[in-house]
Amino acid sequence: MSQIYQDQNYATRCSEKTLQSDDEGFFLSLADNLAELAGNTWIEKCFGKLKNDREKLRSLYTHEPTKNALTEVLSNVQQIYRKKSSEIATARIKEAEELLEKNDLVKSLAFYSQAVLRSQLTGEFYIDKDSFSYTNTIHFLNLPFPGENKKIDEGNTLSLALFGRSGVLMDMNKYDFALADIQMALKENLAEHLKGDAYFKLAICYKALSEMQKATVALRLAQQLLNESNEVILKRFHNQSMAVEKFQHKITRKTDEPKLSGAPSKVFPSAVETLDLKETPIMGRHIVCKGKIKSGETLVVEPPYVACLVPEAYGTFCQHCFKRLVAPIGCPVCSNVAFCSLTCRNEALETYHKYECKILELLLGSGVSVLCHLALRMITQKKLEENMRLYQNRREEHVFSLCTNKQKRTAKDFFRRTVMAAFLLRCLQKVGYFNDENGSVVPNETETTVGEMLLFNLQMLQFNAHEIYEKIHPSTHRFKGAKINYIGVGLYPTVALFNHQCYPSVTRYFVGKNIVVNAIRPLNDGELVAENYGPVFTKKHLAARKNFLISRYWFDCQCPACVQNWPLFTLEKEDTTVRLRCPNKNCDNILSTMNETEKKCSQCNDVVKVEGIKKKLKDCLDQYHLALEKMHEMQPDDSIQILTRALDTFHEIAAPPHKETHLAEETLRACYADRGNTFQVPSKK
């Protein structure tokens, strides 16, 4: 039955995109060239029949037609990354200064930030107890300490960029970011003649942040270093402090961290205990309601097991925590990535970026998808010894039990993913992940184990990863004209167990890179707790939904919206039929009614007074409209309270499909998204 909906060419493209997302990349050409050498017969009859991932990986290095070609290509894999450049950084500083003279603060900040990211660090910056371990990372990467180019600005380009940017940030009233820049500039060997001004700026920033004791200390240091009288310095400080007080501590408000609506599950600590795991031959493992769930309840708050930014977001978001960047700082080695703080940078450098740093340009050039990068990061975020232990205990690890659709995968697709695993494995060899124990392209036993893990990751992530997004909205309104901007991909082991329905019962949003799942309709004991993998019945016809789901996720959806072929709602089409639930608690019949005042239930034979139920339904509709007004008035919390009560009432007395209710659920979804990652597009002046 499902085959009538499947476009095989579309299905093939979907699978290819999970391997190579950039059409200009070289990976698929490489894989297909190797496949041609191997021959279709060998791939289908031999490779495809191999029992496990380890044997498949090994076969690439032992089958003569592929062995030589593969090892020759992999032996040419080199570290490729965007290096630091004092020349470029100096040019960006000059452009930033020119823009600042024109009072173009936004562009000046952008150019100063580019200078920061392209500048080299000095070694001194890291020699302290908090960062000592990263000093070892510098040695691990076999690099001279950065900041040794004395030909330009005496090797102090970074300190000049940070110092200049701090002034722009102060002009923009971003005193917390300016403070961090000044502190870094001082640690980065800021020129002696600028240190007096730096401490004066520190004093202003501390005053703006209401840290008066530190402001006093910084001001005294400025008085010692500046070639001005104390009277002049104090007067200047007083004048600037008066201006600061008008904007006292204008830092973005912190919102409450989302919390579970109930006790956490003993099995899944990131989820509430009202979620239960079931497994059937048809549906596989899936999450159901245990007890009752009300609309609006927070069911899951989960950090990612692993997460990666999409390449388009590298210059806009922190590589580690996924916050939007204001005053980014860079990796001390490459210029590919940016971080929001020293904390994020050092955490990244202690784990995955230590290895990924010198191959990012290679990965981007090969066109590999973000899912492939995610598969690699599942390895790089842990030390080799940790991954070996993980492999040994894999039967007990939840991640290793996630769906791979191994039995449905074609030999050709398996071959491509195995080649990808070999490519990623070679990248790990080149960056010293294995401590250079094996100088050969052909992997030893330890390397083969990691390659096997990579191959599993490449299969599993295809069906279990989630896109991470932020909501972008204009300055005039938080909801009108709002759009979704996808910034990354993450694996959330608990949420990965949620099955799909074209009429989902939950919505998700993101705080940083953490996922939050809320119920958007009530659920009873044993009901499926379903999310949505893309197509909803209100926006896509049955055939389009089926084609997408079969092609992308390899299953034929049997949710009520598909089985009953619920209508596609448009704003112009009004509901004329109402499906009411029989009020008899022992009856689960649905009564379709239009203008009747009473109706006999065909299942329990009770005569149902329809008029009273319809009055409750009208009250729900009134609440839906009130909630929509609250959202348009930018009062989403009020809208959520109204909607959750009304939706609980509707689902108690009536059943979907029901146009107004589905629109209300969309309103609720939009209000929850507003609690997550959001960005206000600056107004054009």
Side-chain angles (χ1 to χ4, degrees), residues 406-474:
K406 191 171 186 176
Q407 304 305 319
K408 299 179 182 180
R409 199 173 294 279
T410 65
K412 181 180 179 180
D413 187 88
F414 247 130
F415 184 84
R416 283 175 163 176
R417 288 177 196 280
T418 307
V419 174
M420 175 61 78
F423 172 64
L424 296 177
L425 181 61
R426 181 56 180 163
C427 289
L428 291 173
Q429 289 176 326
K430 291 297 293 184
V431 295
Y433 184 77
F434 301 100
N435 301 316
D436 296 323
E437 294 175 0
N438 176 28
S440 172
V441 172
V442 179
N444 59 26
E445 284 301 307
T446 298
E447 293 168 343
T448 300
T449 297
V450 171
E452 182 184 346
M453 295 173 74
L454 285 166
L455 182 51
F456 170 82
N457 297 346
L458 290 166
Q459 299 169 67
M460 177 271 295
L461 291 169
Q462 182 177 2
F463 305 107
N464 292 283
H466 280 79
E467 290 179 307
I468 301 169
Y469 69 83
E470 67 168 359
K471 187 187 82 169
I472 297 179
H473 63 87

Side-chain angles (χ1 to χ4, degrees), residues 50-66:
L50 295 173
K51 294 180 181 179
N52 55 51
D53 293 346
R54 195 178 193 89
E55 290 184 8
K56 287 181 170 66
L57 181 63
R58 279 176 168 167
S59 70
L60 293 185
Y61 298 95
T62 56
H63 182 53
E64 287 299 329
T66 58

Side-chain angles (χ1 to χ4, degrees), residues 567-628:
L568 182 74
F569 290 120
T570 63
L571 293 177
E572 292 78 23
K573 184 176 179 179
E574 295 295 333
D575 264 343
T576 56
T577 302
V578 180
R579 305 173 75 240
L580 302 180
R581 298 183 189 275
C582 178
N584 186 336
K585 293 184 179 179
N586 297 318
C587 180
D588 59 2
N589 194 27
I590 303 297
L591 313 175
S592 294
T593 177
M594 294 178 69
N595 299 317
E596 300 97 330
T597 57
E598 62 180 34
K599 191 167 180 118
K600 185 177 182 180
C601 177
S602 60
Q603 189 165 306
C604 69
N605 293 322
D606 281 3
V607 176
V608 179
K609 301 294 183 181
V610 174
E611 192 171 356
I613 301 175
K614 283 190 172 182
K615 184 181 183 305
K616 288 184 179 180
L617 182 60
K618 184 181 182 302
D619 290 341
C620 288
L621 299 182
D622 291 341
Q623 292 298 296
Y624 294 166
H625 296 148
L626 176 61
L628 185 62

Side-chain angles (χ1 to χ4, degrees), residues 8 76 207 236 435 476 627:
Q8 191 56 52
N76 291 323
K207 173 70 184 290
R236 185 152 59 95
N435 301 316
T476 53

